[in-house]
Amino acid sequence: MRELILINISGHDKPAVTSAVTRILAQNGANVLDIGQAVIHDQLSLGMLVEFNSGSNAEPVLAAIEAKMAELEMRVRFNPIDQGSYQGWVQQQGKPRHIVTLLARHITAEQIAELTHVVAAHGLNIDNISRLSGRVSLEHDNDKTKACVEFSARGTPADISKLRADFADLASKLDVDIAFQQDNMFRRTRRLVCFDMDSTLIEAEVIDELAKAAGVGDEVIAITEAAMRGELDFKESFTRRMALLKGLDVSVLESIAATLPITEGAEHLISSLRKLGYKTAILSGGFNYFGQYLQSKLGIDYVFANALEVVDGKVTGRVTGQIVDGARKAELLRELAAKEQISLEQVVAVGDGANDLPMLSIAGLGIAFRAKPLVKAEAKQAISTLGLDAILYLMGFRDREINEA
C-alpha cells in the first residue's frame, strides 16, 4: 500500500537543505507529489508531499531525514496523509483561480485581516501569498514607498459583483487599492499598454493650462470638470472649451510643455515596459503637440490626440481632423491591437475620465488611475494610492524582476 507523508522543515535558511532532504528520498525511490518553499527574513519554510511506493518502509527514511535536519539545525515534522484526502485535494485543481492584489504605501496587519476575511466570506481559499514589492528600509518616507502583496485564491464566488463591491468598500475604508483578476494565461502575456494623457501620464489638464494663459481659466476648468464627471458629452464640451482659446499665441505651447508635471511612477513604468518589450501608446482627448513632447521625453511608441489648428501663429479655437473622444479611443485601441497582431485581452488601458471608459471596458486589463468616482465605480480595476508604476504589480511583476531586466 502506498504511503503519503507531508514533510515540513523550518529554521534559519542555509544552503543545501532541500538537496539534503531530496537526496535521502531519492536513495529510497520516493516520489514528490507537491513542493513549496518560502524564505521570510532568512527563515526557511519548506514543505514536501512525498509518496512511498508499496513495499517501501518509510520509517528508516524519515529517521534519516530527521537526523540530517538535526545536523543542519533545522526543525522537521512528518504528517501522514490519507489517500482519500489526497484525492480530494487533487480534484480541487480544476477550480477557477483568481489573483487579489493589495496595494498601499505600507502593508498593515489590519489590511490583510480585512482582505482575507472578505476572500473567505465569498468562499475562496487562499493557497499562495507573495510580496511583489521590494524590501523597505525602516528609515523610509511613507509618502514615497510602495508596497504590494499578491494573494492567489481558488474557488468560484457565488456573487462576483458583490465580491467586487466588498473589495471596493474595503479599499475606501482602509485607503488602499485592491485588484481582483482572473488568473489566466493573458495576465503575463500583455503586449500593449495604452494611456490617457491628461491627469494620467501628467498631473495636469493641458487645456486648462492653455486656458489660464488665455485668461479664460475658470470657464474652461468648469467645463472640463463637468465633462470628466460624465455630465457633458465630450465632443460638445471640447468644442466649447476650444472656442475659448481662440487667439492664443502658439509660443505659449512650448512653455507649458516644458513645465508639465509627470505623474509619479510614469517614467519608471514606461522605461520598464520598454525593457520588457511592450509597446506603449497615448490615446488622448488632449493635443498632439503635448503628446509628441511626452513621446520624445518618455519613449512612447504611438501618439493619437487632437491637432490644434494654428493660423498666423495663433490658435484658431478649432482642431483639424477627427476629434479623439471616448469612442475614438476605443476604436484606436482596437486598431493598434490589430496592428500589433495581438488580442484585446493582451492590451492594458489606463485612464481617469469618463471618456476613457470605452477603452477601459474592452481592454484585457482596464485600470482607472486616480479617477473620478464615476469612472472608478465602473472600471474593473483602480489605482488611487500609488503611482503609475503600480500597474506592473497588477501585471504580475515583482520589483526585483524589473530591477534585473
Side-chain angles (χ1 to χ4, degrees):
M1 182 177 178
R2 293 174 179 173
E3 191 171 1
L4 305 180
I5 303 293
L6 178 62
I7 304 172
N8 292 107
I9 297 167
S10 60
H12 188 80
D13 188 32
K14 54 180 65 70
V17 173
T18 305
S19 173
V21 176
T22 52
R23 185 172 297 278
I24 295 171
L25 291 169
Q27 290 169 351
N28 292 272
N31 297 321
V32 177
L33 302 177
D34 195 18
I35 185 169
Q37 176 176 304
V39 177
I40 299 178
H41 195 63
D42 292 332
Q43 292 298 305
L44 170 72
S45 178
L46 169 64
M48 282 186 282
L49 182 57
V50 177
E51 175 192 27
F52 293 92
N53 294 319
S54 300
S56 298
N57 185 359
E59 288 188 11
V61 182
L62 302 184
I65 292 174
E66 188 170 29
K68 186 63 178 178
M69 292 302 99
E71 180 185 325
L72 293 174
E73 299 182 322
M74 305 295 289
R75 296 177 295 277
V76 60
R77 290 185 294 112
F78 305 108
N79 293 302
I81 302 297
D82 178 77
Q83 290 192 32
S85 172
Y86 175 76
Q87 284 302 118
W89 175 77
V90 169
Q91 290 167 6
Q92 292 180 31
Q93 66 185 343
K95 290 186 177 181
R97 297 178 66 92
H98 303 276
I99 297 295
V100 184
T101 310
L102 171 63
L103 304 165
R105 289 296 176 183
H106 60 280
I107 301 297
T108 68
E110 180 187 17
Q111 294 163 2
I112 294 177
E114 296 278 5
L115 183 149
T116 52
H117 174 76
V118 171
V119 169
H122 284 270
L124 300 179
N125 184 61
I126 296 171
D127 54 17
N128 188 59
I129 303 175
S130 300
R131 172 176 52 83
L132 302 189
S133 50
R135 299 175 183 177
V136 178
S137 167
L138 292 176
E139 300 176 2
H140 64 271
D141 180 353
N142 281 346
D143 292 335
K144 298 299 181 183
T145 59
K146 54 184 180 179
C148 175
V149 175
E150 179 184 278
F151 303 80
S152 176
R154 191 187 301 273
T156 304
D159 186 342
I160 197 165
S161 296
K162 178 66 165 59
L163 173 59
R164 289 188 182 277
D166 287 349
F167 277 145
D169 290 344
L170 182 60
S172 177
K173 171 187 170 183
L174 299 178
D175 193 24
V176 299
D177 293 317
I178 301 172
F180 179 76
Q181 306 175 62
Q182 183 180 359
D183 190 6
N184 58 32
M185 67 177 184
F186 293 111
R187 185 161 176 263
R188 292 290 293 264
T189 59
R190 316 286 188 196
R191 304 309 312 152
L192 170 67
V193 186
C194 298
F195 300 93
D196 174 46
M197 179 171 65
D198 298 54
S199 296
T200 299
L201 278 177
I202 55 174
E203 294 179 333
E205 292 286 332
V206 168
I207 197 167
D208 294 347
E209 300 305 311
L210 293 173
K212 292 174 187 176
V216 291
D218 291 342
E219 298 99 306
V220 167
I221 288 173
I223 297 171
T224 298
E225 290 179 349
M228 299 306 284
R229 291 193 300 267
E231 297 171 5
L232 287 176
D233 171 77
F234 180 82
K235 283 187 177 179
E236 176 190 354
S237 67
F238 184 74
T239 302
R240 286 169 55 184
R241 287 177 290 173
M242 283 300 304
L244 292 170
L245 300 180
K246 183 177 181 180
L248 181 67
D249 194 279
V250 73
S251 63
V252 173
L253 275 62
E254 182 177 355
S255 62
I256 290 176
T259 58
L260 287 176
I262 305 298
T263 298
E264 176 194 356
E267 292 174 283
H268 178 233
L269 172 62
I270 300 298
S271 64
S272 298
L273 291 172
R274 289 178 63 192
K275 286 193 292 185
L276 294 167
Y278 286 76
K279 294 291 186 179
T280 54
I282 290 175
L283 307 181
S284 173
F287 303 110
N288 263 333
Y289 181 93
F290 302 97
Q292 289 164 358
Y293 173 85
L294 289 175
Q295 180 180 35
S296 175
K297 182 179 181 67
L298 299 177
I300 291 171
D301 297 290
Y302 302 104
V303 173
F304 295 92
N306 297 300
L308 278 169
E309 183 182 70
V310 177
V311 176
D312 296 330
K314 303 288 184 181
V315 173
T316 67
R318 298 186 296 270
V319 296
T320 59
Q322 184 177 355
I323 292 177
V324 179
D325 60 0
R328 180 60 178 154
K329 287 187 180 186
E331 182 182 353
L332 287 166
L333 186 147
R334 290 183 186 275
E335 290 176 2
L336 284 174
K339 177 181 175 65
E340 294 295 330
Q341 297 183 314
I342 60 175
S343 72
L344 291 176
E345 281 284 353
Q346 294 176 278
V347 180
V348 180
V350 190
D352 73 299
N355 65 322
D356 295 312
L357 282 171
M359 73 171 181
L360 298 186
S361 67
I362 64 171
L365 178 58
I367 302 168
F369 179 74
R370 297 181 182 175
K372 313 302 182 286
L374 168 70
V375 182
K376 191 173 180 179
E378 292 196 25
K380 286 186 178 180
Q381 313 298 342
I383 294 176
S384 299
T385 60
L386 301 184
L388 267 179
D389 51 352
I391 290 169
L392 293 166
Y393 296 141
L394 268 60
M395 296 168 71
F397 290 107
R398 290 173 165 78
D399 279 350
R400 58 179 169 80
E401 294 172 329
I402 298 301
N403 294 335
E404 291 169 0

